[in-house]
Amino acid sequence: MELVSTKMNMDNPPIKLLLVDDHEIFLEGLMALFEGEPSLDIVGAVTGGKEALQKIKAQMPDILVTDLNMPQMSGIELVKSVKSKYPDLKILVLTTNNERKTVSDIAMSEAEGYILKKSQKTELLTAILRIADGGTYYSNEVMNIILERIVKEKKKLEASATLTGRELEILQLIAEEKSSDQIAEELFISRRTVDTHRTNLLRKTNKETVVGLLKYAYQYGLIAL
């Protein structure tokens, strides 16, 4: 469903926005919030991803402002589709979703901005203007999540660098609660070789027990859950 667009008159070309959210009341609130902002031109406000793609093709907005939690076509799917078809179209994610995986997925999709719906109007306008000017804008809370992920990935690389491929393979099998005999049979090696690798894993990770070893592995993402 599409709401009535609001076009603002001004001397210089305004920033064309397309708003996407499955809650009409929120869309109406955004349009009211932007009312009177001469630098902005809302070319469309739709409630679904498929409608957004149609509107983009017809209007070619400068910035897509979209939620993530939507039926039929999720915001993440919309972002990826838009970036694939219209790589120059800038995207600002405006959502309540601050889950770590979601934030990481959006950052990897190269969306230009990500802020939470609880943000103030001034931050939202700042984000839009900065993105329109060729920059990016991720709110402090979102940025902290991204930095946390970067630090974790760095530690993961550092941790895995000390282990051989075979040791990582055995570590995964230990996490799957396989016994030394089962690991030996699966990898076609001797029980003694398995025990040697297990000893080396404890030494390299500076752990004294298998429980400590597994905690280390989970902490640095060395094994698949």
Side-chain angles (χ1 to χ4, degrees):
M1 180 175 181
E2 180 181 349
L3 301 184
V4 177
S5 301
T6 302
K7 189 173 179 67
M8 306 171 187
N9 296 319
M10 57 183 296
D11 295 331
N12 297 320
I15 301 166
K16 295 190 294 184
L17 301 180
L18 173 60
L19 311 178
V20 188
D21 196 292
D22 63 327
H23 293 95
E24 291 185 35
I25 292 178
F26 183 77
L27 284 178
E28 291 171 354
L30 271 184
M31 294 174 71
L33 189 69
F34 293 142
E35 191 78 40
E37 291 293 336
S39 60
L40 305 179
D41 173 10
I42 301 177
V43 298
V46 298
T47 57
K50 293 181 180 179
E51 294 171 286
L53 291 174
Q54 294 173 353
K55 199 68 176 176
I56 289 170
K57 186 175 181 179
Q59 295 285 350
M60 282 310 299
D62 299 309
I63 299 178
L64 171 69
V65 181
T66 183
D67 189 14
L68 293 179
N69 302 320
M70 297 184 293
Q72 296 182 342
M73 185 179 195
S74 72
I76 292 179
E77 291 174 326
L78 175 60
V79 169
K80 291 180 178 179
S81 178
V82 169
K83 281 301 180 182
S84 173
K85 297 176 180 178
Y86 309 98
D88 294 331
L89 176 56
K90 297 174 172 58
I91 299 176
L92 171 61
V93 172
L94 177 61
T95 183
T96 58
N97 193 325
N98 62 351
E99 295 178 358
R100 284 168 171 74
K101 185 180 185 309
T102 301
V103 171
S104 298
D105 287 345
I106 290 298
M108 291 298 292
S109 72
E110 300 184 359
E112 283 74 16
Y114 194 128
I115 66 175
L116 303 178
K117 286 183 176 180
K118 63 183 180 181
S119 303
Q120 299 295 318
K121 175 183 177 181
T122 52
E123 183 175 17
L124 178 54
L125 290 175
T126 296
I128 290 172
L129 293 175
R130 187 174 297 177
I131 289 172
D133 196 38
T136 58
Y137 191 97
Y138 282 73
S139 66
N140 289 335
E141 183 175 339
V142 172
M143 200 64 211
N144 286 338
I145 293 173
I146 294 174
L147 291 174
E148 182 181 289
R149 176 69 179 269
I150 291 173
V151 170
K152 185 174 181 178
E153 287 297 321
K154 181 175 182 292
K155 289 182 177 179
K156 176 181 177 180
L157 288 173
E158 292 172 348
S160 63
T162 64
L163 305 179
T164 66
R166 177 64 88 183
E167 287 169 346
L168 288 171
E169 193 173 15
I170 290 176
L171 181 58
Q172 177 64 48
L173 293 173
I174 291 173
E176 295 172 9
E177 301 183 352
K178 300 285 181 67
S179 68
S180 292
D181 287 333
Q182 289 173 321
I183 294 173
E185 182 179 355
E186 185 166 333
L187 299 181
F188 303 102
I189 57 179
S190 69
R191 161 69 185 264
R192 182 176 179 180
T193 300
V194 173
D195 289 339
T196 298
H197 282 306
R198 188 189 295 262
T199 299
N200 288 338
L201 282 166
L202 292 170
R203 176 179 56 80
K204 288 184 177 182
T205 58
N206 198 29
K207 301 300 175 184
E208 297 181 356
T209 66
V210 171
V211 173
L213 175 62
L214 291 179
K215 285 183 178 179
Y216 177 93
Y218 283 127
Q219 179 182 358
Y220 294 115
L222 299 180
I223 52 180
L225 298 177

